[in-house]
Amino acid sequence: MILIKNGHVVDPQNNLNDKFDILIEKGEIKKIEKNIQPFPGCEVIDAEGKIITPSFTDIHVHFRDPGQIYKEDIESGSKAAVAGGYTTVVCMPNTIPAIDDVPIVRYIIEKGEEVGLCRVLPSAAITKGRKGKELTEMALLKDAGAVYFTDDGAPVMDSFIMRKAMEYAGSLGTFVADHCEDLNLSQNGVAHEGELAATLGLPPLPPEAEDTMVARDCILSIQTGMPVHICHISSKLSVEIVAWAKAMGAKVTAEVTPHHLYLTDEEFLDFSCIAKVSPPLRSHEDIEATRWALASGIIDFVATDHAPHAHYEKMQDLQACPPGMLGLQFALPIVLELVKKDYFDLNRMVEVMSIEPAKKIGLKPPQIKEGEIAELTIFDPFETWEVNEETILSKSKNTPLLGRKLTGKVKYTFFKGKIVYRD
Ligand SMILES: [Zn+2]
């Protein structure tokens, strides 16, 4: 038995936003009350000054397994996930080979279960080999356990294929998610097109590359009546387009990454590849737009786009180095900072980190409620920690945050009633 004492419990699903004790017996939440007395044989967790919420769900991670496990694998990725307070993650299909066939879908699920730290679910590719030409066997892939479809890392450039994919996935009761980037507009761009890229002479990547594809997807969704999910939205105009589409009644949802909520293109000031990510880090104005959109619900939730790369890959020149950065362990402190700066409250934080992403993939979100299996995250909102080689649990260490301090630290993560992470 575990007794969690004096934590501030936040779960808008159960109108909880106050100090409570939580008693967990055989993995199940037995009692949520003020002042439960400890008894012999029961482990007591002192949660004074800590916040307890339902654990988090991230529908966008790259665990590089199979094919590039020198960057990350399902085990190391799971460790980073639970250290970030997550107990459900969805792997992207840009593995080698791509997740476009039933045995690979099964492999991800089975390996995730074998590691057992959290729920590791696969998405599957929209098109075979993620080449954008021919649809995958969506019905078979869904039956095998793929939770949605995306060619992430690459857009579906052909609008006719995208329309068919939307209709097909929608009719199966799931959805497509698009990495919105018009490759004809992005060319070999690296940095957000703006003053900074011009001053530094960096190859510019215009925001229209994202905006035009977001607009196309929204229009296709309106026209087909089928859902579409916008991956890693990052520009102010894209946010406005999604707001318009939602007002038109489109079944459009959007996610934003911690780095697009927190870092600007100024990370390129030292010409470092560590700042290269797709879509690129943008301007202060774009960041403000995504923050307020997350607060208002125009953006539905946070997804990390956790994208590990080896050190030597990120040491190449700006053109050659692959885009992407880590995210799983930084989402909580970054989103918490937005709470501290009054963009939104703790209830909204739980919605965007836990409830909404779980619902999006058809899962019942974890709840802090008597009779439920404990899936919760306990964090210290004021503990400051340094991002470094030791504190990052991923195999790769690629993040511009290296050497910087963040405030907000996960102390315990419970999955299926068990403690899977303890700081
Ligand atoms: Zn992407």
Side-chain angles (χ1 to χ4, degrees), residues 60 62 92 150-154 178-180 231-232 255 278-279 305:
H60 190 147
H62 299 267
M92 292 296 102
T150 180
D151 277 357
D152 184 53
D178 200 13
H179 168 118
C180 291
C231 296
H232 41 57
E255 66 186 33
S278 175
D305 193 7

